[in-house]
Amino acid sequence: MLDTLLKIGRWRSEKLSKWDRIIDKPNVRWESRGKPVTNYVVGLVFNLDEMDVYTDPDLLKEYDEERDPEYFKAVKVQGGRNKSIYATVPPKKLKQIFKTYFGKLKNEDVEYGEFIEAVNKDFPQFQDTKLYQLVKDIFPLRDKFIANTTLEGQTKFKNILDTLDLGTYEKIALVYAAVKSKEHGFEEPYPVSRLDEFEAFLSAKFLESETEDLERGLCYASGKAKNDVTELDLSTRFSLNKMFVTSTKNYASLFDKKSFQDNYQISRENQIKLDLASEYLLSNYTTRIANIDHVIIPQFRRNEELDLGLMLDRVKIKSDLLFSLKSLDEVRKDIELEVNEIYWLNFLAFESDGNFFKTLEIIKDVSKFHFQNVLEAFQEIDWEFGRLEEIVDWQSVQTNFGDVAKFNFYTVFGLIPIRKDKEKKNVALQLFKSILEQRTIEKEQLFQFFSELILCHYYGRYNSYTNVHDYSQKGNRKRRDYFTWAVRDSVFKYLAFIQVLKKLNLIDMKQEQETVPAEKTSSDFDQRIEDFFRRMDFNEQQKAMFFLGRMLNASDLPAGGEE
């Protein structure tokens, strides 16, 4: 897996400028409720001539997604003990601008902002620069900034944007610090980010330090001796690198904790590649399986050369893989278009709020061939049941919340009751993991799930089992005879799911005793049912379930579940 991440990181590094890796592009909305949204960049002016702080409407310009983040140096906010050194931030992070030039809000005894602290501590070469003096001269505006952002006794930095007259579908994407000072040669507001000395500072902090000579050693990620080897940097909180060290399901679990720095060392160059790969996959290659976030990590043979640009540009999974069979099918086709050789997929379940990364589960080594077989099994059974128009209205069975769904893993997820208070133990995810990893499914487990589902419907336990479709409600009123519809849909969906597992050879539904062959009937309709039974290889219990579903699907019931 590390080898694939390095390949993706190398490909990404070839596509990016030197700034791209440290620049944060805001996640903006371009449409809301069907109407276009216009995003803007605006300057926050530190006016040293009039000793005032304000947002200037004359500096309001339409946001350029490709140009502005780098132009205004919207550097990613660093976590941990890193000092704030920012000139441009999204509106929600205006606190970082305040801390940069004025220090922490609660610290009333502060003498200067965190930018000055960072220079004094680690970059003394910038103490004699014009930039250093300019930032020090901005500090006396601290009280004015607080006053201009305080409303009804409460300080909120975003209040300073309220002076801008924006429409409902107009939003601020970035706010940049601008200085106006005749003494410093800026008669008009000038972005701090465009100062040559500020760019030099960012380069010294984020880029030049990476080229320093380090000890030669063995890079764990590549398995090769490198001259720039150091301990793995885990300062980025939302990163796949956390997968290898922060849980029991990681690749460093057997390392001696006392010697971890020596054992899990990595070259600075490969650290950058892993960070780039992590950011790309987490931004473009995620899905939800059994209602849990997963990042999808492809894996190829070590020595295989691939056109990663072509492959990964096409495979942008931004919707739920297991919600739409079409999405699953598109992923398979896109990968096969670029990869003629063997590949595997890994689905890494994770939990995060953007400030941490916790590995929950890994579905490992799903081969290209098995992945395709799973897709085709769902498609074929969906088609088979769709042909039973005289026996069951399969489209009605597949209708949930007003939408007709394809039969796939998402459909199955709604058949496995998961108690709200036990979501950490997601039995549906474990079932899907077994299927994708080609492990046999016990039929007794399915019967238990089915029993729990019927009891859930019978007693209306929908508040406890939130993943189960609530059949008792229709609009804002109670629905009569909801249990009939719930049982009908559950029976046919379970029958279809069992057929998928049989096609994949993942379940053994053979009976211990040989059954008596069905008697020949004179009815063409009954004969077609018997033919269907033979095609599906139903045993007696499955036939009983089928007839139960058929009975509940009787013609005297309204189609589609209407009352």
Side-chain angles (χ1 to χ4, degrees):
M1 192 182 301
L2 278 172
D3 184 63
T4 299
L5 292 176
L6 288 177
K7 288 181 179 179
I8 295 174
R10 181 170 62 249
W11 166 74
R12 291 298 294 162
S13 65
E14 294 170 352
K15 295 280 185 179
L16 304 177
S17 73
K18 68 176 184 178
W19 296 106
D20 276 317
R21 187 172 54 82
I22 63 173
I23 294 298
D24 187 12
K25 295 185 178 181
N27 185 20
V28 298
R29 297 179 63 182
W30 298 103
E31 185 176 288
S32 178
R33 298 180 181 178
K35 295 183 179 180
V37 174
T38 303
N39 296 281
Y40 293 98
V41 175
V42 69
L44 174 64
V45 180
F46 297 127
N47 191 329
L48 299 183
D49 297 330
E50 300 177 7
M51 296 303 292
D52 199 1
V53 183
Y54 52 86
T55 49
D56 189 346
D58 293 335
L59 299 180
L60 195 68
K61 64 174 287 293
E62 193 166 339
Y63 174 62
D64 186 327
E65 187 176 23
E66 297 299 322
R67 170 185 177 273
D68 288 342
E70 181 174 325
Y71 182 83
F72 291 106
K73 298 297 181 292
V75 177
K76 295 176 183 177
V77 173
Q78 308 295 301
R81 298 180 180 178
N82 288 281
K83 300 297 182 181
S84 295
I85 42 77
Y86 310 105
T88 306
V89 295
K92 292 183 179 180
K93 296 182 179 180
L94 273 168
K95 178 176 69 173
Q96 301 298 334
I97 289 284
F98 185 88
K99 289 168 61 179
T100 297
Y101 302 98
F102 306 114
K104 291 182 174 64
L105 177 63
K106 294 181 179 180
N107 189 351
E108 297 180 358
D109 298 329
V110 65
E111 297 180 358
Y112 38 71
E114 292 191 2
F115 183 90
I116 298 299
E117 289 186 54
V119 170
N120 291 345
K121 180 181 178 182
D122 298 316
F123 303 95
Q125 66 270 33
F126 288 93
Q127 289 177 332
D128 296 328
T129 63
K130 181 178 180 179
L131 170 67
Y132 185 84
Q133 186 59 48
L134 177 64
V135 174
K136 291 187 70 173
D137 289 346
I138 288 175
F139 182 77
L141 292 173
R142 187 178 196 271
D143 292 339
K144 188 66 176 179
F145 193 180
I146 295 174
N148 289 352
T149 56
T150 301
L151 185 64
E152 297 180 354
Q154 189 172 12
T155 302
K156 290 185 178 180
F157 297 120
K158 285 186 65 176
N159 289 341
I160 205 163
L161 301 176
D162 292 342
T163 57
L164 301 172
D165 187 17
L166 297 179
T168 304
Y169 296 96
E170 295 180 316
K171 306 294 180 183
I172 300 297
L174 288 175
V175 181
Y176 64 88
V179 62
K180 185 176 185 296
S181 170
K182 293 180 180 179
E183 179 183 348
H184 289 281
F186 305 113
E187 295 191 3
E188 297 296 331
Y190 190 83
V192 174
S193 59
R194 300 305 301 161
L195 296 172
D196 292 340
E197 292 172 340
F198 185 77
E199 290 196 16
F201 171 78
L202 293 182
S203 180
K205 177 174 175 60
F206 293 105
L207 304 178
E208 292 175 8
S209 61
E210 295 173 350
T211 63
E212 297 175 355
D213 290 334
L214 299 170
E215 294 182 4
R216 184 174 179 82
L218 182 66
C219 173
Y220 179 83
S222 65
K224 298 179 180 179
K226 298 285 186 178
N227 292 324
D228 57 346
V229 170
T230 185
E231 184 181 4
L232 178 67
D233 181 9
L234 295 170
S235 59
T236 302
R237 297 181 180 181
F238 184 53
S239 171
L240 283 176
N241 288 327
K242 298 284 190 178
M243 164 182 63
F244 297 100
V245 294
T246 57
S247 80
T248 57
K249 304 179 182 65
N250 61 61
Y251 291 78
S253 57
L254 300 179
F255 287 177
D256 183 352
K257 293 182 179 180
K258 296 181 180 180
S259 304
F260 185 82
Q261 182 173 350
D262 295 328
N263 291 330
Y264 202 77
Q265 57 188 4
I266 191 169
S267 75
R268 189 66 59 80
E269 178 185 4
N270 286 335
Q271 170 80 56
I272 294 173
K273 292 176 182 177
L274 291 178
D275 288 341
L276 289 173
S278 171
E279 180 183 1
Y280 181 74
L281 291 176
L282 288 171
S283 298
N284 301 290
Y285 217 45
T286 59
T287 187
R288 288 181 71 80
I289 302 176
N291 207 33
I292 295 177
D293 289 323
H294 286 68
V295 60
I296 303 169
I297 306 175
Q299 187 172 348
F300 310 95
R301 290 182 294 185
R302 179 176 294 273
N303 297 323
E304 188 172 21
E305 291 299 324
L306 303 167
D307 188 344
L308 285 174
L310 180 62
M311 187 195 79
L312 295 178
D313 281 344
R314 290 186 179 181
V315 187
K316 291 183 181 290
I317 307 174
K318 295 184 178 179
S319 61
D320 296 330
L321 262 180
L322 304 180
F323 178 76
S324 171
L325 187 60
K326 181 179 179 182
S327 293
L328 280 167
D329 195 40
E330 286 176 348
V331 171
R332 174 177 61 84
K333 289 180 179 178
D334 284 342
I335 292 180
E336 289 182 337
L337 283 173
E338 292 87 50
V339 182
N340 294 322
E341 302 299 327
I342 298 173
Y343 69 83
W344 296 263
L345 293 176
N346 299 283
F347 301 84
L348 177 68
F350 68 92
E351 180 182 354
S352 177
D353 63 357
N355 295 313
F356 71 94
F357 188 92
K358 180 181 179 182
T359 301
L360 302 177
E361 186 62 78
I362 302 177
I363 301 175
K364 297 188 294 185
D365 301 332
V366 182
S367 75
K368 152 184 176 177
F369 309 107
H370 182 58
F371 191 59
Q372 178 175 342
N373 288 339
V374 173
L375 297 176
E376 291 178 351
F378 273 112
Q379 286 178 320
E380 290 172 11
I381 296 303
D382 195 25
W383 182 78
E384 286 275 2
F385 274 67
R387 293 177 60 199
L388 304 175
E389 296 178 357
E390 297 180 358
I391 303 172
V392 59
D393 184 356
W394 182 239
Q395 179 171 314
S396 173
V397 171
Q398 283 288 79
T399 301
N400 287 312
F401 303 100
D403 297 321
V404 179
K406 292 291 185 182
F407 187 58
N408 53 31
F409 277 131
Y410 185 83
T411 309
V412 176
F413 177 60
L415 300 176
I416 305 171
I418 301 176
R419 290 189 65 92
K420 182 170 59 176
D421 57 349
K422 294 184 178 180
E423 288 181 345
K424 295 291 184 181
K425 186 179 179 182
N426 194 318
V427 291
L429 180 59
Q430 294 302 316
L431 176 65
F432 299 160
K433 174 182 171 72
S434 296
I435 295 171
L436 292 171
E437 293 183 352
Q438 293 182 266
R439 294 201 299 271
T440 301
I441 307 301
E442 297 295 332
K443 58 185 178 183
E444 288 78 10
Q445 183 185 44
L446 294 186
F447 294 150
Q448 180 182 349
F449 290 154
F450 178 78
S451 298
E452 291 177 1
L453 180 64
I454 298 303
L455 289 173
C456 174
H457 289 308
Y458 184 78
Y459 290 106
R461 297 169 176 168
Y462 299 115
N463 290 332
S464 297
Y465 297 96
T466 54
N467 70 308
V468 176
H469 175 41
D470 186 353
Y471 280 80
S472 67
Q473 299 292 329
K474 188 167 182 66
N476 296 321
R477 56 194 175 90
K478 280 287 184 180
R479 185 184 189 183
R480 296 195 308 270
D481 299 327
Y482 77 90
F483 184 66
T484 299
W485 300 108
V487 173
R488 181 205 66 167
D489 293 356
S490 301
V491 166
F492 281 111
K493 287 179 181 178
Y494 259 98
L495 287 171
F497 181 47
I498 290 172
Q499 297 312 304
V500 170
L501 296 178
K502 288 169 69 173
K503 277 187 173 293
L504 297 172
N505 294 319
L506 295 179
I507 193 168
D508 183 5
M509 297 297 293
K510 293 181 180 180
Q511 300 185 91
E512 295 180 2
Q513 296 181 352
E514 186 176 350
T515 60
V516 179
E519 295 182 1
K520 185 175 181 180
T521 62
S522 57
S523 168
D524 291 339
F525 180 69
D526 289 340
Q527 187 62 50
R528 286 197 296 273
I529 294 178
E530 291 300 329
D531 291 340
F532 173 71
F533 287 165
R534 282 193 291 273
R535 290 201 309 273
M536 295 296 176
D537 193 25
F538 276 7
N539 58 32
E540 293 303 310
Q541 287 85 354
Q542 289 172 281
K543 290 180 183 179
M545 287 180 65
F546 178 88
F547 283 118
L548 173 60
R550 179 187 168 194
M551 177 188 69
L552 296 173
N553 194 58
S555 59
D556 58 331
L557 291 177
E562 296 298 330
E563 297 181 24

